[in-house]
Amino acid sequence: MASAARAQQAGGGGSIRLIHGYAAGQSPDVLARQIAPGLSEKLGANIIVEARPGAGERLAASQIGRIAPDGQSLYIMTGGLTVITAVDRTIRFDLLKDFTYISMLTQYPFMFWVGANSPFRS
């Protein structure tokens, strides 16, 4: 995974892929498309959002792990992938060794909900 410094070096009119492992229109895709213009301005590069859905983000993560660390690719990883890698022994990458954390993009709330006709109120 490219470090922030390497991503900055990639600027100057080139392109940087902003990859995530979800279908178009899902939360990571919406987030990627919202931050792409600011990244483009800051890095001086065209940001191309790429959705690579499948297998609960495993496919995108395994593809990213094989990309050369040339500063041309950034990966939006969700918290779900951290859980998957902890319990799925068939995964062939190590989050701590094969990726470099750059920044948190958002905090995603989890809540309990019940039907309006439920006796539960809190």
Side-chain angles (χ1 to χ4, degrees):
M1 185 65 190
S3 70
R6 293 181 91 177
Q8 288 174 344
Q9 291 172 0
S15 292
I16 296 174
R17 297 182 300 165
L18 182 56
I19 301 166
H20 63 79
Y22 290 85
Q26 290 186 317
S27 296
D29 184 63
V30 172
L31 176 64
R33 293 177 193 288
Q34 287 177 337
I35 66 172
L39 278 174
S40 179
E41 183 179 327
K42 184 75 172 171
L43 300 176
N46 183 35
I47 304 297
I48 302 166
V49 176
E50 290 185 19
R52 295 187 183 179
E57 207 172 350
R58 290 173 183 91
L59 295 179
S62 8
Q63 291 172 350
I64 291 297
R66 292 189 301 267
I67 292 175
D70 58 5
Q72 303 298 310
S73 302
L74 296 170
Y75 180 48
I76 294 181
M77 182 183 299
T78 70
L81 188 61
T82 61
V83 174
I84 290 168
T85 58
V87 298
D88 185 347
R89 300 295 176 214
T90 65
I91 291 178
R92 297 185 179 162
F93 57 84
D94 183 322
L95 287 181
L96 299 177
K97 293 179 183 174
D98 297 331
F99 297 89
T100 300
Y101 171 84
I102 296 174
S103 175
M104 180 177 288
L105 298 175
T106 184
Q107 292 183 356
Y108 197 84
F110 289 88
M111 299 172 256
F112 283 121
W113 290 79
V114 295
N117 61 350
S118 171
F120 300 106
R121 296 289 172 236
S122 64

